[in-house]
Amino acid sequence: MDIPEAEVDITPGLVRLLLADQHPDLAGLPLSPAVHGWDNALLRLGDALAVRLPRRERAAGLALNEQSRLGEIAARLDTPVPAPVRVGVPGRGYPWHWAVVPWFEGRLAAEVPAADRDALAGPLADFAVGLHAPAPADAPVNPFRGVPLAERSAGFRLRLESVPGLAHRDRLAGVWEGAAAAPPWPGPPLWLHGDLHPANILARPDGHGLAAVLDFGDLTSGDPATDLAVAWMLFGPAGRSAFRARVDAAGAVDPHVWTRARAWALLFGVLLSAHSDDSPLLAGIGARTLDQVLLDGDARETGRG
């Protein structure tokens, strides 16, 4: 599946006009395209900032969630996150809200060699524990994140069948059926990142340590197992064990959280495998995640886990 087509032509010229109208003190800084993702365009602004603009209507509401909520969350986190430093409103023919955010130097965790990722286990666990505080009643709700697994079962089965040439399809289906029967999250809805995968995690430039966690467009509330799926999406057995131990030591999860988290990892792995034909990076995350989910099952069956 190709990246969705932009619904607005976002050019450096347009962004410079928006800055000149709304933040003229920033309009003279160097401006260059950085990346166009599924939902947002990112342009680097000077040395320390970036401009982030939704490129399709679906993302516009998610951008508002970030603008209205991420600042208060960032204030209690030790991990750098792209909380807006300035906000922008529609103008010059551009129809949605946008933001100026910090620019972080680093390397996507998905691009860090597998053998070097374990250094991220401790700081990423600390990030998750710090983020997963009770959310207020008016927190954003995402019907695809943080919900009971039973609500995703029909969609999972459809996605699983849609991945061409998928190995171990029956085993993966069995993993889901077993995990989906786990008791649901018993606590209050917690703040969630909602899309905590290796392409939204930035390692330090040398690959050792956590530089930032990116893209809070799916910010929502619910079951922390959704975010803890990153244990299978990023790490091998040693890093996963370290990550889990650090989270468990904080005492903020229920006994069944890792069963549900493995199921969320399986769901995300299938989604990425089904819809990343145009992105080798995301397709690789999907394939690795499914391998790790099955590896955990093999370890249990042979008494190694």
Side-chain angles (χ1 to χ4, degrees):
M1 178 181 290
D2 294 333
I3 240 181
E5 185 176 351
E7 297 168 10
V8 175
D9 187 18
I10 299 172
T11 65
L14 170 63
V15 176
R16 196 169 293 284
L17 288 173
L18 290 170
L19 288 168
D21 290 346
Q22 301 180 36
H23 301 287
D25 59 316
L26 302 179
L29 294 174
L31 185 68
S32 59
V35 66
H36 283 70
W38 275 64
D39 291 329
N40 297 280
L42 189 73
L43 293 87
R44 188 166 184 178
L45 181 64
D47 292 330
L49 299 172
V51 186
R52 192 163 183 260
L53 307 96
R55 56 192 297 276
R56 54 193 190 122
E57 186 175 8
R58 177 192 176 281
L62 304 181
L64 283 173
N65 286 343
E66 285 191 58
Q67 289 184 19
S68 64
R69 300 291 189 162
L70 191 51
E72 65 188 79
I73 292 172
R76 58 180 175 78
L77 296 175
D78 294 329
T79 304
V81 298
V85 297
R86 303 282 183 92
V87 296
V89 298
R92 296 283 183 166
Y94 181 77
W96 304 307
H97 289 74
W98 50 279
V100 178
V101 299
W103 174 268
F104 300 114
E105 293 289 350
R107 183 181 185 187
L108 291 181
E111 297 174 340
V112 174
D116 296 334
R117 296 181 181 185
D118 291 357
L120 297 172
L124 190 60
D126 292 343
F127 162 79
V129 170
L131 173 65
H132 293 164
D138 63 345
V141 175
N142 185 323
F144 305 108
R145 301 286 192 273
V147 298
L149 291 172
E151 296 182 18
R152 300 304 314 272
S153 285
F156 169 78
R157 295 186 190 100
L158 286 173
R159 300 297 188 191
L160 184 66
E161 293 303 319
S162 73
V163 182
L166 181 65
H168 309 297
R169 199 183 307 267
D170 290 344
R171 287 180 63 197
L172 293 170
V175 171
W176 177 268
E177 295 303 328
W185 168 243
L190 305 185
W191 276 118
L192 308 178
H193 179 280
D195 201 22
L196 192 62
H197 62 65
N200 284 334
I201 298 165
L202 199 65
R204 291 175 183 166
D206 62 3
H208 300 289
L210 185 62
V213 175
L214 310 174
D215 195 349
F216 283 73
D218 285 303
L219 183 71
T220 187
S221 59
D223 180 0
T226 302
D227 284 352
L228 298 180
V230 74
W232 288 265
M233 302 185 79
L234 181 58
F235 301 114
R240 185 158 51 251
S241 178
F243 177 84
R244 290 177 57 161
R246 189 84 154 237
V247 171
D248 286 342
V253 293
D254 67 294
H256 304 283
V257 71
W258 297 110
T259 300
R260 299 193 308 275
R262 185 171 175 237
W264 278 104
L266 171 55
L267 174 61
F268 292 143
V270 168
L271 288 172
L272 290 171
S273 297
H275 298 302
S276 298
D277 291 347
D278 62 318
S279 174
L281 182 74
L282 295 179
I285 294 171
R288 175 179 169 80
T289 299
L290 296 181
D291 286 345
Q292 292 298 315
V293 165
L294 290 175
L295 180 64
D296 258 14
D298 292 341
R300 291 189 183 98
E301 291 164 11
T302 59
R304 292 182 281 113

